[in-house]
Amino acid sequence: MHRLKARASLEVVSTDVLDYSEVTTFFVEHWGTSQMVISSGIFQCDTLDGYAVVDQQKSIIGLLTYIIEGRECEIISLDSKVVNKGVGSRLLTAIERKAKKENCKEIKLITTNDNLHALAFYQKRGYQLVEVLSNAVEQARLLKPEIPLYADNGIPIRDELLLVKSL
């Protein structure tokens, strides 16, 4: 069991210590499904390795999933029920430690052009925008038609953005 101490009331744990149904429910609440379709693949997020921030009642507050292939770590998902409380930062710290332990040379992730909050969040933590995959979301919609055309902020969701942090 892998545990990292956060604040007294929040704790970072490996998802393998959590109830599978709670992880699935978390994804369904945030994405409508636990399946993620991005240009790097189709992922069943509730079966991936990951970390969660849990409260004193062991309820999931935030969740990150990832894959490691060779010397590269890819964050597949990162979600938090609260913002500006350090949940996402704790999750990034956990995966960066894991990636270094596994001798990864970099961590990469994909977000979409509308996700301005994520772009700011990752760049503040050393991730660099390295590629724009124009109209990649249109391809993802062929496999997952429930991906919305527009974000809540009114921006059309169409491009994927690849961000990378060297370790």
Side-chain angles (χ1 to χ4, degrees), residues 24-82:
T24 301
T25 298
F26 185 89
F27 280 109
V28 171
E29 288 174 358
H30 286 266
W31 295 98
T33 177
S34 58
Q35 187 180 68
M36 180 79 64
V37 178
I38 52 179
S39 57
S40 59
I42 300 170
F43 301 94
Q44 192 62 39
C45 290
D46 55 357
T47 65
L48 296 177
D49 290 328
Y51 292 100
V53 172
V54 296
D55 62 17
Q56 289 178 322
Q57 293 75 38
K58 303 300 181 202
S59 297
I60 300 171
I61 305 301
L63 186 64
L64 177 148
T65 61
Y66 67 92
I67 58 171
I68 294 178
E69 293 179 349
R71 295 190 60 209
E72 195 171 78
C73 177
E74 181 175 2
I75 296 171
I76 303 302
S77 68
L78 191 160
D79 293 292
S80 177
K81 290 184 176 182
V82 296

Side-chain angles (χ1 to χ4, degrees), residues 9 11 14 20 32 56 58 61 65 72 75 80-81 96-97 107 113 119 154 160 165 167:
S9 62
E11 185 177 19
S14 174
Y20 175 76
Q56 289 178 322
K58 303 300 181 202
I61 305 301
T65 61
E72 195 171 78
I75 296 171
S80 177
K81 290 184 176 182
E96 288 174 7
R97 285 182 185 161
I107 298 178
N113 63 287
L119 285 170
E160 289 183 346
K165 181 176 183 177
L167 298 175

Side-chain angles (χ1 to χ4, degrees), residues 80-99:
S80 177
K81 290 184 176 182
V82 296
V83 295
N84 300 321
K85 299 293 183 194
V87 172
S89 295
R90 289 182 180 119
L91 292 168
L92 275 187
T93 297
I95 191 55
E96 288 174 7
R97 285 182 185 161
K98 173 70 173 175

